[in-house]
Amino acid sequence: MDALRPGDPARIGGHRLLGRLGAGGMGVVYLGRTEAGALAAIKVILPEHAGDEDFRTRFRREAEAARRVDSPWAVPVTGADTESETPWLATEFVPGPTLSEVVARCGPLPTRSVHVLGRLLSRALTAVHGAGLVHRDVKPGNVLLTADGPRLIDFGIARAAEATALTATGLVVGTPGFLPPEQATGAGAGAGPEGDVFSLGCLLAYAATGRPPFGSGAVDALLYRTVHDEPDLAGVDDPALRALLGECLAKDPAARPAAADLDTRIAEDVPGDGASADWLPEDVARMIAERSAAMLALPDIEATVNTSATTSAPAPARRRFLALAAGGAVALGAGTFAAVRLIGDEPDGRSGASPAGRRWVIGVHADLTGAQEAAGRAQERGVRLAVDRFNSRTDKPFTLAVKVLDDGGDPARSVRVAEEFARDRDVLAVIGPTGDAATGAALPAYDEAVLPLLTVSSLQISYPARVNAAFFQASPSYAALSMPIVNRLLLRPDVERLGVLIDRSGGQAAYQAGYATNLMTPSLTTGTTHPRVVPAGTTDLGPVIADLLGHRSDALFYAGDAAGGARAARALAATPFKGPSMAQHTVMRTEFLERAGETAEGWEFVAPFTDAGGVSGEPGVPGAADFAAAHRKRFGAAPAAWSAEAYDVTGLVAQEVAALVGSATKGGAGPTGSPTATPSGGTPSGGTPSAGTPSADGRPGRAALVAAIAASRYKGISRTYAFDEERQQLVGQDAHLYRAEGGRYRYLGPAPKPKS
């Protein structure tokens, strides 16, 4: 939970507001307390949407739908005013985490927990359907877990079973991955209670395995699998649960059981009155207890004070709230994060202020203590070197500093890091986060603040829809990397069929890379594929390797993690196979070399990061010598993977900030008199970026900087950076090749591209 902001109201409908639980493009959700002391989650619609009659109609319908549901397993409405100038809806506040949070943090639930979850949610849906409604968005993010059972929330797109949906023709309503086939095809207006049962089946499969049964990734591919493919229930070992999920996930709505039938068919006992959370694993119960305990520590909140634009100083700081919505009772503030460092241009931290005395901040949102610590550290160093280079300019119009926050690779902690950066008015842009899950969790906070966020190592195919489009994926996605993989393995005379081994131990990175490689092979070449998927935790890959070779695979691509890659290398070495073998960059770790031993020799890797004279100790790519020398001088070591990419995007940001400042102060010229300056070693091209309205100290607005980055073109040492207009993903598929030789990774150079 975050503190109230100066523009927030102090009270809504008899509730004294305590803080912000979340916000999006449509409204803000506050935590409020009634005069009687009851806590409520209060959804307040933003003024720009309150005047939209269609939007108000949908909000009115949400309130009416939620009021009609009477079940202890659905969060009840406690108050609403849908006709006021500022419409709002209050529901009982449940301090428990969402099912998606729990699975992300603690992993899949045991069978008993899934049975209890299914039985109680089936009762909630029975009440929904009994009220003549269809929920239409049953998903892990809409289920809260408490000690005595789950709670179904969010009736934002629920409607009467016989009503016509207030959506455009063909619009898919709901959440891909948890939609029934009849909604996935765009026939959402015709989806009935049977669709909620299908979504419940997806939710329970997710709870049992840790992944959606139809995968994830690009929405179109996900919807196609939902309609045409069988669900992936690998890891659901209980026969009764597996059979029940199979019925819930039937393509034909008429073949699915009713929600009321599920209640009678699941025999698992449910928690009784006053029960503890013994239906859940200990770590989940502890997570719930932390949230509940935090509620007891809520401070007595002072009323919000509205400030005008002429206010020169902020209102007195409120006491910090406990972080309820982001995972555990951890106090916010500078002490929350393990690594918080703010320095200027000099390696020893001296300020080196510009002549104008302006000093602004580039944020680094990184994993510095978790599984991706090495990548996070490398990116932090790259950012610092780019800032050093900019600050070394004698004509610099301002000074840059670096602020680093560590999320430890934890999505919940990543949210708090993002919120901290968003509150800091001196932060112009943020580089990071390091990992996919941390990025997805942090995006809403950055998006709401319109704070430019550039990641070089989070490579998901797609992310949740955003309103302000402040996020830039400055590296090729897992899908884009499939193109150089296919080119490398199949554009050769001795390969006609590619064996694709997707190891679920590698998570979404493996699934997306393997799926895209399989999909792109017939599009890019005349070759064919033989794909195989193995469940997470598979230790003997011998049989699947034998199957791949038995189907005449001339080359092998492994998509998974380092440990699984080593198992694949050992299994492959035990066969007569002599063809090329390749893995994605996530396998390219010291662990692979150590576990595979001699069998690692000759394996190749496609990676989105360049060597920059660091990974292999060789000269690396052209133009990287100065960067590598500066890195060795400052940090006493060669640059590691991802350092050059972080250096590049920091240079891009500095370039656009300098151009905006120059445009504002010199009537359109950059700080050196040219349309765009080059502050950190890159070579700019293109026109002057969009100007924005600067603050009193000349700092460009965040929205203006977002627009400037979106329109920029920047030549760095690892690639040329430009972003497509629709999704703001990197244009181009520049990648790099490595090979395991003599117990190390040797850089082979940029991955070749097809001539056509």
Side-chain angles (χ1 to χ4, degrees), residues 164-219:
T164 300
L166 293 173
T167 58
T169 302
L171 179 65
V172 175
V173 179
T175 302
F178 298 89
L179 287 173
E182 56 269 31
Q183 275 181 259
T185 56
E194 302 88 354
D196 284 344
V197 172
F198 186 95
S199 299
L200 178 61
C202 292
L203 179 148
L204 296 177
Y206 170 85
T209 66
R211 62 183 185 277
F214 298 100
S216 60
V219 172

Side-chain angles (χ1 to χ4, degrees), residues 145-165:
L145 299 185
T146 72
D148 64 349
R151 300 291 189 277
L152 181 64
I153 64 171
D154 199 351
F155 293 82
I157 60 174
R159 63 175 179 84
E162 71 282 359
T164 300

Side-chain angles (χ1 to χ4, degrees), residues 534-548:
V534 297
T538 301
T539 56
D540 183 8
L541 294 181
V544 72
I545 292 291
D547 177 78
L548 292 171

Side-chain angles (χ1 to χ4, degrees), residues 39-51:
L39 294 173
I42 307 164
K43 180 187 293 187
V44 179
I45 300 305
L46 294 175
E48 54 264 38
H49 299 296

